Amino acid sequence: MRKTLYLKLILAYIIFGLFGFVVVATFVYNMTVDHLKKETADSLYREATLVANTYATDLYNSEVSLETVKMQLDALDTYLDATIWIINPSGRMILDSSAPAVDVENEVVIENFDPTVTAGSYYTIGDFFHTFEEDMLSVFAPISSDYKVKGYVVIHASMSSIQADANILLNISYIMLIILFLLSLIILIFFTEIVYIPLRKITEATEQYASGNMHYEFTVESEDEMGYLAATLSYMASEIARAEDDQKKFVANVSHDFRSPLTSIKGYLEAMIDGTIPPEMHEKYLTILLNETERLTKLTNSLLTLNNLNTKGIMLNKTDFDINKTIRNVAASFEGTCRAKTIAIELVLTGDEMYVVADMDKIQQVLYNLLDNAIKFSHHNSVIKLETTEKHNKIFVSVKDTGIGIPKDDLKLIWDRFYKSDLSRGKDKKGTGLGLSITKEIIRSHGENINVISTEGVGTEFIFSLSKSDMEDDD
């Protein structure tokens, strides 16, 4: 396609040049010849009229001699580069500027002379009644005296000289056409460099992407629409490649997280069936199997939740509710877990009630995920702090622990699906690695933000924002 497009452009350029030469060789040439004929005829007619009204009239009135008029016509002949005649209406030659001298003895008569041959014009083109061997441009000017036509002044100019002048002008036109043709070549060069070459790169990249090579890289050094198109296409491919990599990683992580509990379940069941585990220990291992099935259930539910959150156009059931009350309820649900690890939960809530506009069920899940993580990675006999603050019509919720913290290199990765830092893998064998991904998707679906501040060995703080409700203001 791209070669055909470029060849079409080259072909159009060549056709443009050929048509230019054809137009110059035909229309321009004919127009130039016609212009020169008319211009020459006008000039000669003015001279013929002047001669007819002066020398020729004086000659017919016997006021000057033939020799005197002949001298004047010879000078004018040289100046005009034309032949000047004075003839009678019958066609008899009186004077001829091309003759060396006045010859009254040898009479010259123009056979079939007809002054109306100009057909209403003042000039004619031809051999002038078979007098010349080449075409001549001949102009007539009548010699009048006493309101009668006594004769005619006829001036002949060679058509070959007019055509020679036209050819000179035509050569100038050819030179100008060649210059324009070469200058237009600059447009072709610019098109090649600015449009064709970038378009070829983009087309080649598109073919690579269509074949599945999303990691193909190309650059177009341009700041115009072509460069923007190339940059957009490259960005699109990189996003698709990243999505494919995420999908592969997602499948690998799901497979890994499902394989571990399934392997445990299968191994324990086989051991119980073949007698490796005695009947008196079945209750203990059935409890382990139950925990593994709960782990699979939790993983499946997390995947379904994350899939629903990523669905375009997700509907949130937003209501006005007291975030302080919700925090108290979530904290109360972890009472048993906290007692087992001797962890205290400190609530620092602004006011007795703090109403926000959000989906209460999903915000409860966010609080549950954050508090669950804080408890998992906190030391025994430590304190977890939950705090609410109000600023610029926003409510900020903070979950802060004094646990193991998150390594600096892991901070940007904790929101990725199935991601677990090395510290968390050792601390939490049952985690799915989806909790923070779900949390971020929920907050993002509300149009809000969530941030993390953490120092390894010191602790971690998650802070997210919610829109304040107008309910308190109305009250």
Side-chain angles (χ1 to χ4, degrees):
M1 171 63 78
R2 60 179 183 270
K3 292 182 179 178
T4 303
L5 177 63
Y6 196 62
L7 288 177
K8 286 180 178 179
L9 183 66
I10 297 294
L11 182 61
Y13 180 72
I14 294 174
I15 292 175
F16 165 74
L18 292 177
F19 269 102
F21 279 98
V22 169
V23 168
V24 171
T26 55
F27 296 104
V28 174
Y29 176 76
N30 292 332
M31 291 171 62
T32 302
V33 171
D34 290 341
H35 174 72
L36 289 177
K37 285 192 300 185
K38 188 176 184 305
E39 190 178 61
T40 303
D42 290 341
S43 178
L44 295 180
Y45 182 74
R46 287 194 297 269
E47 296 295 336
T49 302
L50 181 61
V51 172
N53 293 334
T54 55
Y55 307 127
T57 301
D58 293 343
L59 178 63
Y60 274 92
N61 292 333
S62 300
E63 295 179 0
V64 294
S65 63
L66 285 173
E67 288 76 8
T68 301
V69 176
K70 178 69 168 62
M71 289 177 59
Q72 297 295 333
L73 295 185
D74 289 345
L76 193 58
D77 181 308
T78 304
Y79 172 73
L80 296 176
D81 190 23
T83 302
I84 305 172
W85 290 353
I86 296 178
I87 58 178
N88 284 341
S90 61
R92 184 170 67 86
M93 185 78 66
I94 303 299
L95 282 176
D96 182 359
S97 66
S98 63
V102 177
D103 187 0
V104 295
E105 295 181 356
N106 297 317
E107 186 179 77
V108 175
V109 178
I110 306 302
E111 298 293 337
N112 301 318
F113 173 72
D114 184 3
T116 64
V117 71
T118 57
S121 179
Y122 51 86
Y123 72 93
T124 183
I125 297 175
D127 59 3
F128 202 76
F129 305 103
H130 308 292
T131 305
F132 299 97
E133 295 180 355
E134 62 174 330
D135 286 341
M136 305 291 286
L137 185 148
S138 305
V139 298
F140 290 79
I143 305 170
S144 301
S145 179
D146 297 330
Y147 303 103
K148 293 181 180 179
V149 176
K150 303 293 184 176
Y152 294 93
V153 175
V154 183
I155 302 179
H156 307 283
S158 174
M159 282 298 299
S160 61
S161 64
I162 295 176
Q163 291 172 345
D165 292 339
N167 288 330
I168 293 174
L169 295 176
L170 186 66
N171 290 335
I172 296 175
S173 299
Y174 279 130
I175 294 173
M176 291 300 299
L177 180 63
I178 293 173
I179 293 174
L180 289 176
F181 188 74
L182 293 177
L183 289 176
S184 63
L185 186 62
I186 298 176
I187 300 177
L188 182 63
I189 295 173
F190 267 97
F191 175 84
T192 303
E193 293 294 330
I194 298 176
V195 178
Y196 173 68
I197 292 179
L199 185 61
R200 185 175 61 184
K201 289 182 179 180
I202 293 173
T203 305
E204 184 176 353
T206 305
E207 292 173 353
Q208 291 289 332
Y209 299 149
S211 64
N213 182 15
M214 292 298 171
H215 295 283
Y216 179 80
E217 296 182 358
F218 75 104
T219 56
V220 173
E221 300 296 335
S222 176
E223 297 182 358
D224 55 11
E225 289 81 356
M226 195 65 68
Y228 179 77
L229 174 62
T232 303
L233 183 64
S234 179
Y235 176 75
M236 178 195 71
S238 65
E239 288 297 303
I240 294 176
R242 187 178 65 82
E244 289 181 350
D245 293 340
D246 289 344
Q247 184 179 14
K248 292 177 182 178
K249 187 185 298 182
F250 178 83
V251 173
N253 287 329
V254 169
S255 300
H256 177 271
D257 280 30
F258 269 94
R259 186 187 297 114
S260 297
L262 288 174
T263 301
S264 298
I265 292 172
K266 180 182 178 183
Y268 287 134
L269 288 176
E270 288 176 348
M272 293 171 67
I273 291 173
D274 62 19
T276 303
I277 299 176
E280 60 271 15
M281 298 185 67
H282 282 187
E283 183 177 355
K284 172 184 177 181
Y285 287 98
L286 285 174
T287 301
I288 295 175
L289 293 177
L290 181 61
N291 290 335
E292 292 297 321
T293 56
E294 289 178 352
R295 180 180 172 188
L296 288 174
T297 301
K298 182 178 180 181
L299 178 60
T300 303
N301 291 336
S302 297
L303 289 172
L304 291 174
T305 300
L306 192 59
N307 181 69
N308 291 333
L309 290 173
N310 286 335
T311 302
K312 187 175 182 180
I314 182 173
M315 298 297 294
L316 295 175
N317 183 23
K318 287 187 176 183
T319 58
D320 297 307
F321 65 94
D322 182 9
I323 187 64
N324 289 347
K325 180 180 179 181
T326 303
I327 291 174
R328 293 188 187 98
N329 293 337
V330 172
S333 67
F334 284 94
E335 182 178 350
T337 306
C338 291
R339 184 180 298 110
K341 293 189 65 174
T342 61
I343 293 176
I345 297 179
E346 180 183 359
L347 302 181
V348 183
L349 307 178
T350 302
D352 293 333
E353 295 180 341
M354 181 72 70
Y355 282 87
V356 296
V357 180
D359 188 316
M360 186 173 69
D361 292 336
K362 289 184 172 57
I363 297 304
Q364 280 182 333
Q365 186 173 3
V366 168
L367 290 169
Y368 183 90
N369 289 343
L370 294 179
L371 191 54
D372 183 53
N373 271 350
I375 294 173
K376 285 178 183 178
F377 303 117
S378 290
H379 304 294
H380 287 272
N381 301 314
S382 61
V383 177
I384 297 174
K385 184 178 180 181
L386 275 69
E387 183 178 3
T388 58
T389 56
E390 178 184 352
K391 188 176 182 180
H392 302 308
N393 209 35
K394 291 282 187 180
I395 304 301
F396 293 89
V397 181
S398 168
V399 180
K400 184 177 182 180
D401 64 63
T402 56
I404 63 176
I406 303 172
K408 183 177 180 180
D409 295 337
D410 294 341
L411 283 176
K412 294 182 179 180
L413 305 174
I414 60 174
W415 308 110
D416 294 346
R417 300 174 186 179
F418 295 101
Y419 181 77
K420 295 180 182 180
S421 68
D422 293 336
L423 294 177
S424 67
R425 288 186 184 277
K427 193 81 174 176
D428 177 30
K429 296 294 186 180
K430 296 182 179 180
T432 63
L434 294 173
L436 291 179
S437 295
I438 293 173
T439 297
K440 186 169 185 178
E441 290 296 333
I442 291 175
I443 297 300
R444 181 184 296 173
S445 67
H446 282 78
E448 302 294 338
N449 297 308
I450 182 169
N451 297 310
V452 59
I453 302 171
S454 183
T455 302
E456 189 174 355
V458 177
T460 303
E461 180 180 13
F462 287 92
I463 305 172
F464 65 90
S465 62
L466 293 172
S467 296
K468 183 182 177 182
S469 172
D470 296 330
M471 179 178 294
E472 294 176 315
D473 297 336
D474 295 340
D475 293 341

